[in-house]
């Protein structure tokens, strides 16, 4: 039996929270609401959520700070609600790890469609690994265990990867020395087209570089191709 997805709605406007809870439950999902970051933290201690709908403008800790904090700890998908026409909030939201955004006021049907699209990508990510699923891959001074989604260095120390980092790294390992544009990387990792201002891939690459590069300020494994995108510059060997 398939369990309904559980959505956490974090917004300081009670009317919006109540309306969204009712709408999502009417469309076959579970929904819980929280008025601010403190209430969200309390809800997350006792419940498990498949996606968080997070408003940017809230009293206390704002949505951008909350998104940054959540993304540092895990990979629960986040859809941010931003003020209409406030492009800065949208850009920053994507930079700190949001999966998508929707400006207020919004049509509940569009919100539901975006939630379903994010969940489809998230569900596919659970079986990510591509043609190397179930194998170990050696590159530079690292070994990637695709079953455990863990990097192992030359000394045997393990470095865990988030789902987004694992997905991005496997895309590179499947295509060493190919130049991949930001749009191609976003499509391969998330299954969506990139808006003009989308910096999601750049920020994911920055986080991945901090884990695999000897000097992230002078990257040698994930090379930037000016005007083109990125290229994985190491040979990849399947070892198990």
């Amino acid at each position: 039996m398939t369990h309904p997805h559980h959505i956490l709605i974090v917004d300081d406007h009670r009317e919006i929270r109540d309306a969204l809870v009712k709408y999502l439950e009417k469309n076959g999902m579970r929904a819980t609401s929280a008025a601010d970051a403190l209430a969200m933290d309390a809800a997350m201690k006792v419940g498990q959520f498949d996606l968080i709908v997070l408003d940017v403008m809230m009293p206390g800790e704002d949505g951008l700070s909350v998104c940054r904090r959540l993304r540092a700890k895990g990979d629960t998908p986040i859809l941010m609600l931003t003020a209409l026409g406030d492009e800065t909030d949208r850009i920053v939201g994507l930079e700190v790890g949001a999966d998508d955004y929707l400006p207020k006021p919004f049509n509940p049907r569009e919100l539901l469609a975006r939630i379903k699209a994010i969940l489809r990508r998230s569900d596919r990510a659970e079986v990510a690994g591509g043609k190397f699923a179930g194998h170990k891959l050696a590159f530079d001074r690292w070994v990637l265990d695709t079953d455990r989604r863990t990097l192992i260095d030359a000394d045997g120390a393990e470095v865990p990867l988030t789902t987004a980092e694992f997905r991005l790294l496997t895309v590179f390992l499947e295509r060493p020395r190919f130049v991949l544009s930001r749009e191609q990387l976003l499509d391969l990792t998330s299954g969506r087209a990139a808006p003009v201002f989308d910096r999601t891939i750049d920020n994911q690459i920055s986080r991945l570089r901090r884990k695999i590069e000897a000097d992230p300020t002078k990257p040698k494994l994930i090379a930037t191709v000016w005007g083109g995108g990125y290229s994985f510059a190491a040979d990849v060997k399947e070892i198990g």
Side-chain angles (χ1 to χ4, degrees):
M1 178 179 178
T2 302
H3 296 284
H5 287 107
H6 193 179
I7 312 301
L8 177 59
I9 300 158
V10 187
D11 195 300
D12 61 312
H13 290 91
R14 182 174 181 177
E15 296 82 1
I16 292 177
R17 297 197 308 271
D18 291 349
L20 287 181
V21 167
K22 185 180 297 186
Y23 186 78
L24 293 176
E25 290 181 343
K26 180 181 177 182
N27 283 275
M29 296 183 177
R30 295 175 60 202
T32 297
S33 66
D36 54 26
L38 289 175
M40 178 201 75
D41 289 340
M44 294 184 72
K45 287 181 180 178
V46 297
Q48 291 188 333
F49 300 96
D50 299 294
L51 182 143
I52 299 171
V53 176
L54 178 63
D55 187 28
V56 170
M57 297 298 295
M58 296 189 298
E61 186 179 10
D62 65 62
L64 294 174
S65 174
V66 170
C67 181
R68 186 180 294 108
R69 174 162 62 85
L70 291 173
R71 191 52 72 234
K73 297 190 298 183
D75 284 314
T76 302
I78 299 170
L79 190 159
M80 299 206 73
L81 302 178
T82 68
L84 180 62
D86 194 342
E87 187 172 286
T88 299
D89 281 348
R90 302 180 205 175
I91 296 172
V92 175
L94 291 168
E95 287 180 341
V96 299
D99 294 86
D100 203 351
Y101 66 87
L102 187 63
K104 289 181 175 181
F106 55 84
N107 186 318
R109 288 181 61 188
E110 181 176 2
L111 177 72
L112 179 63
R114 287 177 180 266
I115 287 173
K116 288 182 176 179
I118 295 171
L119 290 173
R120 283 195 298 270
R121 297 197 299 266
S122 179
D123 289 343
R124 286 200 301 268
E126 293 302 315
V127 293
K131 65 182 181 181
F132 294 130
H135 297 275
K136 293 181 180 179
L137 307 170
F139 63 95
D140 192 53
R141 58 193 178 93
W142 297 100
V143 171
L144 174 66
D145 186 328
T146 60
D147 276 347
R148 298 170 59 203
R149 301 189 183 189
T150 301
L151 281 168
I152 305 167
D153 70 13
D155 297 321
E158 297 186 356
V159 178
L161 297 171
T162 66
T163 298
E165 291 164 352
F166 173 76
R167 199 182 316 157
L168 180 61
L169 181 57
T170 54
V171 165
F172 278 127
L173 296 182
E174 288 178 350
R175 302 164 180 83
R177 306 189 188 282
F178 278 79
V179 177
L180 297 168
S181 69
R182 291 171 175 82
E183 291 77 13
Q184 288 172 322
L185 286 169
L186 191 63
D187 182 58
L188 288 167
T189 58
S190 301
R192 68 183 175 96
V196 173
F197 55 81
D198 198 331
R199 297 290 304 279
T200 301
I201 288 298
D202 293 326
N203 286 281
Q204 288 180 2
I205 285 175
S206 293
R207 292 194 292 270
L208 185 57
R209 278 173 169 166
R210 288 196 289 270
K211 292 191 174 181
I212 69 173
E213 298 280 3
D215 182 356
T217 65
K218 299 177 181 179
K220 295 182 178 180
L221 296 178
I222 302 177
T224 300
V225 181
W226 300 113
Y230 297 96
S231 177
F232 194 74
D235 293 324
V236 180
K237 181 179 179 181
E238 190 174 333
I239 61 173

